Amino acid sequence: MDFNAELQRCLLPLGEAYSLPAHTYTDESFFYWEKRSSFEEQWFCLGLAKEIPNCGDYVLKDIYDHKLILLRDEQQQLRAYSRICRHRAMDMAACPTLAKKNSKSDISADKGNIEKITCPFHRWSYEINNGQLNHTPHAQLSTQHKKSSLPEYRLHEWQGFVFININGQAGAFSTQLQALEKQLSQADISRYAIHQSSAKTSNQGNWKLAMEIAMESYHHIGAHFNSFQKISRASSTYVDHGNQRYAALINPYCKNIDRSHGPIKLDLFPPSSIEQHYQGFVYYALFPNLLIGTMGGFFDINIIYPTDKDSHRVEAFLLVPEGEDDNPDIDTIFQQFNIIEQEDQALMQAWIKGLTSAQAPQGPLTKLEKANWLFYQYLLSSLVVNKNTNSRMQEA
């Protein structure tokens, strides 16, 4: 079967559709196409606006070969610039040991506060309001060269999340999120604070594996038999609503569970309006790379960034109600989540081995994998699957 025919099988109606072919997780040319179509030409999640609440606050973001700095300017506007100096192509955040002590212009950590952006190589600096070059010590530049500025990227803030369009050519931010927007607005995520234990991790495996594991609960009967399966049965989970832009995965709580004990403590905070509505925990998957989970009165946020075809990075945020940052019971959540993360990592490593074997099949999708099926609709429609796909992939 040719490659295009394999992809077309993923787009069949649910019940007839198949999973992605194994080589879409391992092939360099496919990774090239998906990173261009999903992470350059389309909107994707870059982070949380709350990461940088004040003027001059910044956080560094790496999206495969794009080195970015996300900051808040003097007008409280969010900005995303390339952090590659326009003089000699230095990554201005790559040498924290060269940063001047207590400087308000040097990038000395993954996040901080600055008044301007300065390169440690030759001390050229740029304005935070527009990325404009403003200081070039001992350099006699032409008028044209003095107009140099850092490339700026197009941003959109939605429900407290920051989305970016790398090539600047995407259409208006999706209008397909209305049902989801209504639910998140009622939950009012702005009332939640980022807990200090939030973390970044680097992981083996294609980025799609992390998304697909998170957006289906069928594997509760396998990897999470002693954790999530005791809270929400895999057989009772379902996708309530979704389209080519997102999926809402509902996990109804088992009857008569003790919310204060067991695999996950569910009564730490008052349940969100979303949990109350569904009487269970919910995971929203916003394609291509954002996962929003709500359970136990807190939000579990995961943002997946591709590194290369065989690895990805995850930025995980725990959002808790304002004023609850120092609640000692939160440590219990992290201990339990670490166990679940270890279960998922073991699952992913076994999956990677299977996908790289000669016998890896293109398996049928079940109704419990509807969110994965919706993810394929997004991914493959943005790749423009047509009769020319094979030749275009070979050219790449």
Side-chain angles (χ1 to χ4, degrees):
M1 182 178 295
D2 66 45
F3 183 53
N4 189 62
E6 289 179 322
L7 296 183
Q8 293 287 1
R9 297 176 86 194
C10 304
L11 301 176
L12 293 171
L14 188 62
E16 303 174 28
Y18 287 79
S19 60
L20 288 172
H23 47 277
T24 60
Y25 301 92
T26 60
D27 183 74
E28 190 69 53
S29 60
F30 190 82
F31 177 73
Y32 168 83
W33 276 103
E34 68 184 3
K35 78 175 185 178
R36 196 180 85 169
S37 62
S38 294
F39 289 91
E40 290 186 353
E41 297 177 356
Q42 306 295 326
W43 294 100
F44 69 91
C45 187
L46 187 63
L48 293 173
K50 280 198 170 187
E51 291 183 82
I52 46 174
N54 304 309
C55 170
D57 285 352
Y58 75 85
V59 63
L60 305 181
K61 301 286 183 177
D62 290 354
I63 313 299
Y64 47 97
D65 50 0
H66 294 277
K67 311 298 182 184
L68 311 179
I69 180 169
L70 176 66
L71 56 78
R72 196 172 293 275
D73 70 13
E74 294 174 338
Q75 286 73 47
Q76 293 295 312
Q77 296 296 310
L78 291 172
R79 303 272 191 173
Y81 300 115
S82 165
R83 60 175 196 263
I84 305 303
C85 182
R86 307 305 289 170
H87 179 211
R88 299 297 300 276
M90 176 82 166
D91 180 348
M92 294 184 283
C95 290
T97 57
L98 299 180
K100 291 186 177 180
K101 188 175 182 180
N102 300 322
S103 170
K104 292 293 287 184
S105 66
D106 289 45
I107 302 172
S108 58
D110 287 346
K111 60 181 180 180
N113 186 279
I114 52 177
E115 294 175 352
K116 58 183 178 179
I117 307 167
T118 299
C119 179
F121 201 168
H122 300 104
R123 306 301 299 173
W124 285 31
S125 63
Y126 303 83
E127 298 281 358
I128 65 171
N129 291 331
N130 52 22
Q132 181 66 46
L133 180 66
N134 74 347
H135 186 54
T136 57
H138 313 302
Q140 303 298 319
L141 300 183
S142 68
T143 301
Q144 184 63 32
H145 286 158
K146 289 179 181 178
K147 294 180 181 179
S148 181
S149 61
L150 298 175
E152 184 171 4
Y153 297 87
R154 186 179 174 204
L155 298 179
H156 182 88
E157 187 175 346
W158 179 85
Q159 297 294 308
F161 297 94
V162 182
F163 289 80
I164 188 170
N165 172 219
I166 293 291
N167 73 355
Q169 301 301 310
F173 190 76
S174 180
T175 59
Q176 294 182 298
L177 301 176
Q178 293 178 351
L180 177 54
E181 184 168 3
K182 180 178 179 181
Q183 291 186 348
L184 291 180
S185 296
Q186 292 173 346
D188 192 8
I189 292 181
S190 65
R191 296 185 297 107
Y192 293 74
I194 299 176
H195 190 261
Q196 60 184 0
S197 298
S198 299
K200 302 177 182 179
T201 59
S202 296
N203 303 282
Q204 291 183 326
N206 184 271
W207 69 278
K208 297 190 296 298
L209 301 181
M211 287 294 295
E212 291 193 59
I213 288 175
M215 67 176 71
E216 57 98 333
S217 297
Y218 189 14
H219 71 287
H220 285 190
I221 61 175
H224 303 315
F225 180 77
N226 290 313
S227 52
F228 273 148
Q229 178 70 358
K230 293 185 176 181
I231 299 172
S232 178
R233 298 283 185 263
S235 58
S236 66
T237 63
Y238 63 97
V239 171
D240 181 63
H241 52 96
N243 50 41
Q244 281 192 8
R245 193 63 184 83
Y246 79 98
L249 176 64
I250 314 303
N251 299 262
Y253 292 130
C254 297
K255 293 182 179 180
N256 303 319
I257 63 170
D258 186 342
R259 296 176 61 88
S260 63
H261 296 92
I264 294 292
K265 188 170 182 174
L266 295 171
D267 66 344
L268 184 57
F269 308 114
S272 72
S273 59
I274 297 171
E275 288 177 88
Q276 291 175 322
H277 176 75
Y278 287 111
Q279 297 184 341
F281 66 89
V282 182
Y283 261 99
Y284 297 110
L286 274 75
F287 313 138
N289 72 322
L290 173 61
L291 299 163
I292 306 172
T294 175
M295 67 172 69
F298 57 87
F299 284 88
D300 174 36
I301 309 296
N302 287 271
I303 307 174
I304 315 296
Y305 305 97
T307 305
D308 54 39
K309 68 179 178 67
D310 297 320
S311 63
H312 62 277
R313 194 175 72 260
V314 179
E315 291 192 5
F317 300 93
L318 182 69
L319 301 187
V320 300
E322 293 281 3
E324 296 285 353
D325 294 35
D326 57 355
N327 189 320
D329 286 339
I330 294 178
D331 290 338
T332 302
I333 295 177
F334 272 96
Q335 292 170 9
Q336 295 167 334
F337 267 37
N338 284 338
I339 293 173
I340 292 169
E341 175 63 21
Q342 291 170 12
E343 293 170 346
D344 277 338
Q345 283 299 316
L347 181 66
M348 184 178 296
Q349 295 311 308
W351 196 1
I352 291 170
K353 289 182 179 180
L355 289 169
T356 55
S357 73
Q359 293 79 28
Q362 189 178 9
L365 290 180
T366 72
K367 67 176 184 178
L368 294 176
E369 296 164 292
K370 182 177 180 178
N372 301 74
W373 177 73
L374 290 171
F375 179 51
Y376 299 162
Q377 312 304 300
Y378 162 82
L379 184 70
L380 299 183
S381 65
S382 64
L383 283 172
V384 192
V385 180
N386 56 41
K387 64 182 180 180
N388 295 319
T389 300
N390 282 328
S391 61
R392 295 171 71 188
M393 292 286 290
Q394 290 170 1
E395 291 171 5

